[in-house]
Amino acid sequence: MKYLFSFFIFIIISFQGQAEAFLIDNYNVSVNITKDGVLNIVEIIDVTFTEKRRGIFRKIPLNYNIDGVRRNLTIEKASVADWKSKIYNEGGYRVIRIGDANTYIEGKQRYVIRYTVRNALTYHDDSTEFYWNIIGDEWEVPILEVDYTIRLPLDIKLTDDDVRLFSGPTGSTNSTATLDKDGSVLTGQSLAALRPGEAVTLALRLPQAYFQKPENYYEPGNVEEEVSGSPIRDFFWYGPAALIAMLIGFFSGKKKADPVVLETEDIYYPPGDLSPPAVGTFYDGQVNTEDIVSLIPYWGNQGFVRVKGLGEKGREMDIFFEKVRDLPGDYPEYHHVIFNKIFEDEDLVLLSVLKNKIYSAISKAGKLIKKDIRDRELYDREMLRTFHSGWMIGLFFLSVFVAIMIFIFTGWIKTGLAFIALGITAFVIHFLPKKRSEKGRRLQAYLKAFKAFLEDGAPSKVSELISADPKYFEKVFPFAVALGVDKSWTSKLAEMDYHAPHWYYYGTHPVPSKVKMSQFSDAFNVKEISSVFRSAPSSSGSSGSSGGFSGGGAGGGGGGSW
């Protein structure tokens, strides 16, 4: 696993280095708009590489939203002067990757990019709008200086209300850039460096008839360019896919052990070295509230508590828990956590008074129960250490983080989704049932047979066991609660006219022999007790929401190095 994590750390560092490997000294943008609304754009980008890289890539969005309506751009005739380039569509962007995969460069470099854009204007009933991100908000590096020129096809007089310039983070309505108008030419420059994620956006309102509206207005472009070479393909998904196969294969590929054979006489008593909560938790792999409730009859049988029933059948029921004496210090810690919480204020406690008070102790006790089971070597240690520890949760978060980095910096959909799938696989495996050791498999087989006997055992055999051991019911009942078969067990005893356990009494006098099993079963209702134990105070929360601005136009995008 440590090699797997090293692999992820390498990827993260690589992406961080990619984001910080250069800065933009000057970004010059020239936009010439023709009479039919086509944009001919030239971008001159002067950069300084702070470490060796192959070049940069430019990502231009192919769609944008205006007034909640999705618009589509067509980007044609993209080219780069004096550099080898790859041009392709990926993840909703036109990507221009500049540089040679076999050549590293450093220091100051200049890139001149040309491309043509259609469908960039918005035609209203009374005006035509040019709303364009001169600098997009997706650059992850500082841009020290920006200057730009916008050339319109015809001279036109524009008022201050017709021209708006925005700069700063997305959503900003402020401006730290200049704008000068001279006939059909608009020029300007930044007054301060742009930080990563900041944009410069120009909004022009022009007469409705200033441009000729195209017949196929807002139809998606479908122009494919023939460019020598091929882009970096999204084929790295096979790496996380291979890791998924390895995880699943190793997790499920262990040789299955031979079935456990038990002697019949072994299945009538609970295991001697485990208390009921540990038995219930190990049997189904989780701490249920019923596992905690099983402590009450367990303590009762050992003389630490008594339970007093109230009310009558058909009326609202409630019971008292009465502390007889403290638990010995050598009892497992989770016993003390629950015992001390129940009798925190008084030695005689009404069940309904415990509502919304026990839930926090149950959480703490649950962790201690699981630790107790792990310490008993009931699970395969290698599998437990590899698949059911913090490694898998860490792998989940790392995979999701790497996927996000891939989506941001490369746009590789398949590879990003493959890393998300790897994270989900790790998360699911972490919570799948743990593989048991030989000792654990024998215990599981034993508990399965023991539970089956409590549910469906022959009454004659139960009678025989009670005759041989009058306290047999009291010894078994806590484990029946933990295994979820307490009703089956008490019903069997009620048919045999067996009385309530010695630790339960009804009314004012503790005379167990006079309390029928049916009365006890109605009063000591495990579901109702569990409901009180897991009850917690309700909580509520609230949420709020947030509204030309910077970064709100078409075009723009960003880029990075590779």
Side-chain angles (χ1 to χ4, degrees):
M1 292 302 297
K2 65 180 181 180
Y3 299 108
L4 189 62
F5 272 79
S6 297
F7 168 71
F8 282 116
I9 295 299
F10 171 77
I11 289 178
I12 293 169
I13 292 174
S14 297
F15 282 123
Q16 289 176 336
Q18 177 177 352
E20 302 169 357
F22 75 107
L23 58 85
I24 298 176
D25 300 311
N26 182 265
Y27 204 131
N28 177 277
V29 180
S30 176
V31 181
N32 294 329
I33 310 177
T34 67
K35 179 61 179 174
D36 55 358
V38 176
L39 278 56
N40 294 309
I41 299 175
V42 180
E43 297 181 1
I44 303 175
I45 308 174
D46 293 316
V47 308
T48 299
F49 289 102
T50 56
E51 63 180 60
K52 290 184 178 180
R53 307 296 287 172
R54 298 179 181 87
I56 67 170
F57 59 88
R58 176 80 170 91
K59 298 175 66 175
I60 309 167
L62 292 171
N63 52 68
Y64 61 104
N65 291 308
I66 298 293
D67 298 328
V69 179
R70 182 184 178 92
R71 314 291 190 186
N72 297 285
L73 297 178
T74 298
I75 299 177
E76 307 173 339
K77 303 176 183 178
S79 65
V80 181
D82 303 322
W83 290 93
K84 187 175 181 179
S85 62
K86 315 288 184 184
I87 304 172
Y88 52 97
N89 289 353
E90 185 174 72
Y93 291 87
R94 191 66 165 161
V95 181
I96 304 171
R97 197 198 71 173
I98 308 171
D100 190 332
N102 299 316
T103 304
Y104 285 89
I105 57 176
E106 57 185 331
K108 293 185 178 296
Q109 305 293 336
R110 168 169 286 192
Y111 299 99
V112 180
I113 303 172
R114 292 180 171 85
Y115 56 96
T116 297
V117 180
R118 296 182 185 274
N119 291 343
L121 303 180
T122 303
Y123 296 89
H124 302 290
D125 292 339
D126 58 351
S127 63
T128 300
E129 182 181 36
F130 174 62
Y131 191 18
W132 188 257
N133 296 321
I134 298 171
I135 302 294
D137 60 1
E138 297 180 37
W139 285 100
E140 296 294 330
V141 295
I143 303 175
L144 303 185
E145 295 182 5
V146 175
D147 56 86
Y148 50 90
T149 302
I150 311 297
R151 291 184 174 87
L152 300 172
L154 300 171
D155 287 347
I156 185 172
K157 185 176 181 179
L158 299 171
T159 68
D160 290 341
D161 291 336
D162 294 328
V163 183
R164 297 295 304 277
L165 183 69
F166 313 103
S167 62
T170 301
S172 172
T173 58
N174 298 321
S175 177
T176 55
T178 64
L179 178 64
D180 297 316
K181 303 185 289 290
D182 183 8
S184 62
V185 180
L186 293 82
T187 58
Q189 61 184 7
S190 59
L191 299 175
L194 296 183
R195 290 173 293 185
E198 293 190 339
V200 176
T201 300
L202 176 66
L204 296 180
R205 183 175 61 190
L206 301 162
Q208 189 272 336
Y210 186 80
F211 292 103
Q212 181 179 347
K213 182 177 178 180
E215 295 181 1
N216 62 340
Y217 173 54
Y218 293 146
E219 289 298 322
N222 190 28
V223 178
E224 297 293 335
E225 299 185 33
E226 294 294 333
V227 183
S228 60
S230 59
I232 297 179
R233 301 294 183 184
D234 182 8
F235 62 85
F236 290 102
W237 59 267
Y238 66 79
L243 290 175
I244 292 173
M246 289 171 57
L247 286 176
I248 295 175
F250 186 64
F251 180 77
S252 60
K254 278 207 138 192
K255 182 180 178 182
K256 291 185 178 181
D258 296 329
V260 176
V261 179
L262 298 173
E263 297 294 334
T264 305
E265 56 269 19
D266 290 340
I267 66 171
Y268 304 124
Y269 278 88
D273 59 343
L274 288 176
S275 62
V279 165
T281 299
F282 177 75
Y283 183 78
D284 59 16
Q286 57 186 348
V287 181
N288 300 309
T289 313
E290 290 76 8
D291 299 329
I292 303 299
V293 173
S294 69
L295 286 169
I296 302 296
Y298 186 74
W299 295 331
N301 186 48
Q302 300 191 18
F304 300 113
V305 302
R306 290 193 300 181
V307 178
K308 178 183 178 181
L310 298 174
E312 299 177 359
K313 191 170 183 179
R315 298 173 58 186
E316 184 177 355
M317 306 293 289
D318 209 340
I319 55 176
F320 277 106
F321 299 134
E322 180 184 359
K323 181 171 76 170
V324 178
R325 56 193 175 97
D326 290 326
L327 297 179
D330 59 352
Y331 267 46
E333 186 178 354
Y334 58 85
H335 283 251
H336 291 277
V337 169
I338 301 299
F339 190 90
N340 293 339
K341 192 65 177 177
I342 292 175
F343 301 109
E344 184 176 34
D345 299 319
E346 299 180 63
D347 291 346
L348 187 64
V349 184
L350 194 64
L351 172 64
S352 57
V353 173
L354 295 175
K355 190 172 184 179
N356 300 337
K357 292 184 178 181
I358 306 295
Y359 68 96
S360 59
I362 289 178
S363 176
K364 181 179 179 180
K367 295 176 182 178
L368 294 170
I369 293 169
K370 290 181 177 180
K371 182 180 183 301
D372 179 47
I373 294 172
R374 286 197 301 271
D375 292 343
R376 294 174 182 270
E377 299 186 356
L378 297 174
Y379 295 109
D380 185 306
R381 280 190 173 274
E382 180 184 0
M383 301 293 285
L384 196 66
R385 183 172 56 251
T386 303
F387 294 106
H388 303 286
S389 64
W391 284 104
M392 289 293 102
I393 298 299
L395 179 57
F396 165 74
F397 285 110
L398 263 176
S399 298
V400 173
F401 178 75
V402 170
I404 292 172
M405 293 298 100
I406 288 173
F407 288 141
I408 291 174
F409 292 113
T410 70
W412 293 340
I413 302 301
K414 292 180 182 178
T415 303
L417 291 176
F419 272 104
I420 290 177
L422 174 61
I424 293 173
T425 301
F427 187 84
V428 170
I429 286 178
H430 177 80
F431 291 102
L432 286 176
K434 303 173 180 65
K435 292 205 172 184
R436 300 178 178 89
S437 63
E438 176 65 21
K439 179 180 177 182
R441 291 192 311 106
R442 292 192 63 81
L443 177 59
Q444 183 70 5
Y446 171 81
L447 293 176
K448 185 176 181 181
F450 177 57
K451 179 182 178 181
F453 171 72
L454 296 180
E455 286 184 295
D456 304 314
S460 58
K461 183 61 182 178
V462 175
S463 179
E464 176 187 331
L465 290 167
I466 292 175
S467 297
D469 182 359
K471 299 296 183 182
Y472 179 73
F473 168 75
E474 284 89 340
K475 294 176 181 178
V476 168
F477 180 67
F479 295 88
V481 172
L483 293 171
V485 293
D486 52 285
K487 285 298 182 183
S488 301
W489 186 237
T490 54
S491 296
K492 196 185 302 291
L493 272 293
E495 294 173 359
M496 299 171 61
D497 200 28
Y498 196 78
H499 295 294
H502 71 277
W503 45 265
Y504 176 81
Y505 64 100
Y506 180 84
T508 58
H509 301 288
V511 187
S513 60
K514 294 186 177 180
V515 181
K516 295 183 178 181
M517 182 62 69
S518 58
Q519 288 179 298
F520 165 72
S521 181
D522 289 337
F524 195 85
N525 189 309
V526 173
K527 287 187 176 180
E528 290 184 7
I529 300 173
S530 298
S531 177
V532 171
F533 274 28
R534 64 173 167 260
S535 63
S538 60
S539 61
S540 61
S542 61
S543 60
S545 60
S546 56
F549 53 83
S550 177
S561 67
W562 66 289

